[in-house]
Amino acid sequence: MSTSLSPLLAPMLSSGPMRAVCDDAAMLQNMLDFEAALARAEAATGVIPKRAAEPIAKACKADAFDLAALADAATRSGNLAIPLVKALTAHVAKSDADAARYVHWGATSQDVIDTAAMLSLRAGADALLGDIDRAIAGFAKLARRHRTTAMVARTWLQHALPMPFGLKLAEYAAALHRSKTRLTRMRSETLALQFGGAAGTLAALGDKGLAVAEQLAQDLGLPLPDAPWHTHRDRVADVASVLAILAGTCGKIARDVSLMMQTDVAEAFEPSGEGRGGSSTMPHKRNPVAAATALAAATMAPNLAATILAAQVQDHERSAGPWHAEWPTLPTLLLVTSGALAAIVDIAEGLEVDAARMRANLDVTGGLIMAEAVTMALAEKIGKGDAHHLIEAASKKAVAEKKQLRDILAGDSTIAAQLGGLDGLAKLFEPMAYQGASQALIDRLLASLDER
């Protein structure tokens, strides 16, 4: 677990709190926290002398170790835990040579690295949960404000039907809330202690292995699994899936916002600010900066998750290679997911909506967006097939003659009469009169956010 984005790019693609979580020093401290907790657990269960625990725990401070030296040594040993245990043992020996004999007693390198990763992932989940609450609240507030704001619903990027903007916003909030549910479950159930010793049997601890594991899990605040899971990586794959889904949801929202920000659409915009969204050559530009960050993350996250999924295929009780692939991949996935979510928070809390432009865009097709509404009303009189044929022909005529569909229909006395004359047609061409169950759906989506 290390910050695997360059210092120049990291602020653009990740959140500050997540960069702190994924920092090399933070990861090293998590490994040392495992060693300190292990010593305390073994002292409490009589595996090592009680007096050995305190000197070991006191030595477990990341700032006492040389990161560069550990990294260099890891290239020869195959992982970071081996040189760290050697360095920790030497550090403890400076104050208590006898206690140094009990450093890392009965554990294996993977126990240290995997458990440290679980601690990092827990902190990462907490950072994401804080931001996801803000994004959900922001979109829910906007949904209530715009529940009757009429806009174009688009299918295949074409005008389809009218819809309330509040429905789109409520869907954003609900999708993010589903990711919150996944994150919360993952944090409480998936992130488990890793402690199995050399081959997952805890043989070095005799009959006290499970007692030590119980004490260790309690000390670190991690669930105790039924058994060590060294080469069963479904837990890690679960984490990757949850993160990739969240990044994808952020990407979907960002895609919509970037499309709504197009000059030709101009319905909703990211928050504006000095120097934000500008161009190096075009002073008039207002580019979708936050959306671009979320879309970048949504592009990267699936491939990072795929690496984690591929790394599930491991050999026997301990594996070389696939396990190593997780080390840089997980923090990168955490980082880009945090960047996507932070960008969406920015949008949710500062989205600028042009309701008048939304309403004007409904009229761009000259009333064609209400063709289905008219067809369904006419179908009640003459049947769906005939109604569809007539309104399709009228729509083509409106396009060819560059006229309003309503005017074409008003000029056909037979159709107009079936639809209640001019007053009936006027009602059929009111966009928010044709929104189906939208208001009930908004209520249902907002109610799904209530966790009580």
Side-chain angles (χ1 to χ4, degrees), residues 138 142 269-272 286 344-353:
L142 286 168
F269 303 87
E270 291 181 6
S272 59
R286 184 175 180 181
I344 294 304
V345 170
D346 185 42
I347 291 171
E349 294 182 340
L351 189 69
E352 298 175 13
V353 180

Side-chain angles (χ1 to χ4, degrees), residues 45-307:
T45 52
V47 173
I48 66 174
K50 289 186 180 296
R51 57 180 173 72
E54 186 176 355
I56 294 173
K58 281 186 174 180
C60 289
K61 301 292 186 289
D63 57 9
F65 297 85
D66 185 335
L67 286 171
L70 290 173
D72 182 64
T75 64
R76 296 184 295 276
S77 61
N79 68 63
L80 186 61
I82 293 172
L84 177 61
V85 170
K86 289 181 180 179
L88 176 60
T89 302
H91 191 43
V92 175
K94 293 176 183 177
S95 60
D96 192 323
D98 188 59
R101 296 166 50 204
Y102 300 103
V103 170
H104 195 67
W105 189 270
T108 193
S109 300
Q110 190 162 356
D111 295 335
V112 187
I113 292 173
D114 279 355
T115 299
M118 295 294 106
L119 295 175
S120 292
L121 289 168
R122 183 173 66 187
D126 289 341
L128 292 172
L129 286 167
D131 273 352
I132 209 168
D133 278 337
R134 291 175 58 191
I136 292 168
F139 284 125
K141 182 179 179 180
L142 286 168
R144 295 183 181 96
R145 183 185 305 163
H146 292 286
R147 65 180 305 147
T148 58
T149 300
M151 75 172 302
V152 174
R154 296 172 172 90
T155 61
W156 291 36
L157 292 176
Q158 308 299 308
H159 285 212
L161 296 174
M163 70 176 291
F165 186 39
L167 178 56
K168 185 185 287 283
L169 295 162
E171 288 170 343
Y172 295 163
L176 289 166
H177 187 267
R178 292 193 293 274
S179 267
K180 178 184 177 179
T181 300
R182 295 184 194 98
L183 275 168
T184 303
R185 174 199 55 77
M186 179 198 82
R187 188 193 185 285
S188 63
E189 299 175 11
T190 302
L191 306 181
L193 176 74
Q194 176 73 285
F195 185 57
T201 63
L202 292 170
L205 300 179
D207 61 356
K208 294 186 177 180
L210 289 178
V212 172
E214 290 171 3
Q215 192 75 28
L216 180 57
Q218 183 176 352
D219 191 314
L220 294 173
L222 289 170
L224 177 66
D226 293 329
W229 43 276
H230 289 143
T231 49
H232 290 278
R233 311 305 288 180
D234 52 292
R235 288 181 171 85
V236 185
D238 184 21
V239 171
S241 299
V242 169
L243 295 175
I245 290 170
L246 173 55
T249 292
C250 292
K252 185 276 184 287
I253 296 169
R255 178 72 74 199
D256 282 0
V257 172
S258 65
L259 291 172
M260 287 188 287
M261 282 184 68
Q262 289 182 109
T263 305
D264 307 285
V265 179
E267 293 177 343
F269 303 87
E270 291 181 6
S272 59
E274 183 65 29
R276 175 169 177 156
S279 164
S280 61
T281 60
M282 295 172 283
H284 67 283
K285 291 293 292 295
R286 184 175 180 181
N287 292 320
V289 178
T293 293
L295 287 166
T299 302
M300 297 170 69
N303 297 302
L304 294 165
T307 297

